[in-house]
């Protein structure tokens, strides 16, 4: 009898043992594959690969193009940007309602204070969110014509108290071309 025939014969005779063995092995492999996603710090040895998608880190630190890029970032005061998109499909006015605008206001105020270890910088570092670069309804000027001049005020100096104030924020924002489609 050939080797293949012996394996088939034993598999047929001991089908219950074979089924349990395959089931247990499959469950163990599934747990081993999924566990690092559920417990990343505790089981990092199972999946030691670290993925870094930052294009700057794809070149050595002394690569001339990277050195020039970093020098230009310092010279021009350029910084990494984080964009937070907020959508409200439940309200007919989208994000321009009292509840959502309050949350946006609170988020912008919180973001302006993030520094150092809170955002992955060395502890005690002053590096963090650059307050003047935060683009939110509470940090954008509403520029409107008034009799004899131009009025500059904050688009949303505080969260709206009612729906009429929320719609006023939308009205003012819709008059500023660079905000259309961005805020």
């Amino acid at each position: 009898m050939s080797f293949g025939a012996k394996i088939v014969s034993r598999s047929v005779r001991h089908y219950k043992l074979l089924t349990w063995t395959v089931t247990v092995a499959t469950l163990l492999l599934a747990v081993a594959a999924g566990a690092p996603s559920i417990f990343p710090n505790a089981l990092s040895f199972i999946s030691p690969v670290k993925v870094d998608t930052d294009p700057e880190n794809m070149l050595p630190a002394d690569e001339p193009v990277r050195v020039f890029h970093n020098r230009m970032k310092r010279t021009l005061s350029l910084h990494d940007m984080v964009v937070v998109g907020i959508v409200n499909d439940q309200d007919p006015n989208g994000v321009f309602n009292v509840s959502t605008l309050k949350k946006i206001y609170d988020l912008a105020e919180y973001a302006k204070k993030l520094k150092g270890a809170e955002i992955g910088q060395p502890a005690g570092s002053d590096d963090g969110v650059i307050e003047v670069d935060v683009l939110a309804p509470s940090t954008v000027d509403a520029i409107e014509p008034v009799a004899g001049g131009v009025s500059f005020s904050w688009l949303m100096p505080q969260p709206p108290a009612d729906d009429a104030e929320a719609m006023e924020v939308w009205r003012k924002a819709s008059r500023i071309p660079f905000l259309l489609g961005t805020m």
Side-chain angles (χ1 to χ4, degrees):
M1 186 182 283
S2 71
F3 180 71
K6 287 181 183 176
I7 290 176
V8 170
S9 175
R10 285 189 180 191
S11 298
V12 169
R13 278 195 314 252
H14 304 288
Y15 67 92
K16 288 182 181 178
L17 176 62
L18 179 66
T19 301
W20 277 107
T21 303
V22 169
T23 301
V24 168
T26 302
L27 289 174
L28 287 174
L29 284 172
V31 168
S37 297
I38 298 168
F39 307 106
N41 295 332
L43 302 171
S44 59
F45 63 90
I46 292 177
S47 179
V49 175
K50 301 292 181 226
V51 177
D52 182 1
T53 58
D54 185 351
E56 288 186 26
N57 295 335
M58 294 178 185
L59 295 171
D62 60 348
E63 181 71 27
V65 70
R66 187 171 177 190
V67 171
F68 176 75
H69 172 73
N70 289 335
R71 191 173 79 232
M72 288 295 98
K73 280 175 49 176
R74 282 190 303 277
T75 301
L76 301 173
S77 296
L78 299 177
H79 306 279
D80 292 335
M81 181 184 293
V82 175
V83 178
V84 177
I86 300 173
V87 177
N88 185 339
D89 294 330
Q90 308 302 314
D91 193 285
N93 295 324
V95 297
F96 294 98
N97 63 71
V98 175
S99 175
T100 305
L101 286 175
K102 166 86 168 96
K103 291 173 185 172
I104 292 170
Y105 180 88
D106 291 343
L107 180 62
E109 292 302 306
Y110 174 75
K112 288 192 267 183
K113 294 173 180 57
L114 291 174
K115 302 270 186 247
E118 296 171 315
I119 56 171
Q121 299 297 323
S125 169
D126 286 338
D127 292 341
V129 174
I130 301 168
E131 187 172 337
V132 297
D133 287 347
V134 173
L135 181 64
S138 58
T139 64
V140 171
D141 288 323
I143 305 165
E144 296 187 295
V146 295
V150 178
S151 167
F152 293 89
S153 62
W154 293 119
L155 179 61
M156 188 177 77
Q158 70 269 342
D162 55 33
D163 289 335
E165 286 184 22
M167 291 313 296
E168 183 64 15
V169 172
W170 177 83
R171 185 193 67 74
K172 288 179 180 180
S174 66
R175 294 179 53 121
I176 305 171
F178 85 91
L179 294 181
L180 293 177
T182 61
M183 187 168 53

